[in-house]
Amino acid sequence: MLIVMHMYVVVAGALVVALMAGFGIAGITTGWVLPPARHRILRPRLWGYGQLLGAAGAALWMFLGVFPARLDVLPLIGWFVFTGSLGLQMLAKRPGRTPGPPPTNSAS
């Protein structure tokens, strides 16, 4: 029974990581964002990079965290990569830098 439940959790985790990576690639290449978040994301390519980085970090954290202590630093790196990707996705909700009008010299 425990082995079957473990298999369900691993398959669900792999599916979530694959979906995250797929949505990230779609955001990078086409600028497509999931419909519920479409009105909030102002920079879809940056959001796609954050999504792809989050998928890589989540995979490191989930799938290498079960190994013995000789690999104990890789899941920790995966966790930090995942949380860093959340920061990138948060930045994607902010407007980017746009060049403003040239300054006018009113002194002459």
Side-chain angles (χ1 to χ4, degrees):
M1 180 71 172
L2 185 63
I3 294 173
V4 173
M5 291 303 293
H6 180 68
M7 182 189 65
Y8 287 147
V9 171
V10 169
V11 168
L15 182 65
V16 166
V17 167
L19 284 174
M20 283 175 66
F23 291 144
I25 291 170
I28 293 168
T29 58
T30 64
W32 184 83
V33 178
L34 290 168
R38 196 169 288 159
H39 69 281
R40 292 180 296 200
I41 304 298
L42 300 176
R43 296 188 282 177
R45 289 192 65 205
L46 183 62
W47 179 84
Y49 283 119
Q51 211 41 20
L52 197 58
L53 194 65
L60 274 176
W61 180 61
M62 284 192 302
F63 298 122
L64 292 181
V66 297
F67 289 126
R70 69 178 190 274
L71 295 175
D72 61 349
V73 77
L74 285 177
L76 188 62
I77 290 171
W79 177 252
F80 287 132
V81 166
F82 179 75
T83 54
S85 75
L86 294 177
L88 272 181
Q89 292 175 15
M90 199 169 65
L91 286 176
K93 294 179 182 180
R94 300 177 62 135
R97 294 184 182 176
T98 57
T104 58
N105 192 357
S106 60
S108 26

